[in-house]
Amino acid sequence: MSDVIEKAVETLNAKIDGGFDGVAKFVIEDEGAIIVDSEGAHAADTPAEVTLTASLDTFRDMMEGDLNPTTAFMTGKLRIEGDMGKAMQLAHIFT
């Protein structure tokens, strides 16, 4: 597991209180993937209900609150595939 993915898993677990009702995947381009589910966040690249893909810079900006996920999506910096409702449930992670 890369240092970037390891740090992202730690950050996501700190922001997620008690896991997530569903299965979401964050793909950080050129780094790897993270699954968020009822157990919390962990490094994995398995099927999910929704997949959010972004560059490392975009992901970092969203996690630090410097970039709104909706803005990232609307400007093409964040790609979402799958259940948009599940993606919207993740919004609290980025506040």
Side-chain angles (χ1 to χ4, degrees):
M1 175 172 28
S2 77
D3 290 341
V4 168
I5 296 297
E6 188 173 308
K7 178 68 174 166
V9 166
E10 287 176 25
T11 301
L12 284 167
N13 277 320
K15 290 181 172 270
I16 299 169
D17 188 24
F20 174 67
D21 183 27
V23 180
K25 180 175 14 178
F26 289 96
V27 176
I28 302 173
E29 296 170 339
D30 300 322
E31 296 294 338
I34 300 164
I35 293 292
V36 178
D37 58 21
S38 61
E39 303 294 317
H42 52 93
D45 192 3
T46 57
E49 295 169 89
V50 62
T51 300
L52 297 93
T53 305
S55 70
L56 175 57
D57 289 338
T58 297
F59 182 78
R60 184 180 295 128
D61 287 348
M62 289 189 310
M63 292 303 297
E64 292 175 355
D66 295 333
L67 177 61
N68 180 295
T70 302
T71 301
F73 176 71
M74 298 303 276
T75 59
K77 292 181 178 181
L78 174 66
R79 291 181 309 284
I80 301 173
E81 295 179 29
D83 188 333
M84 190 62 77
K86 291 292 180 188
M88 293 173 66
Q89 290 176 8
L90 293 168
H92 74 279
I93 294 174
F94 303 104
T95 59

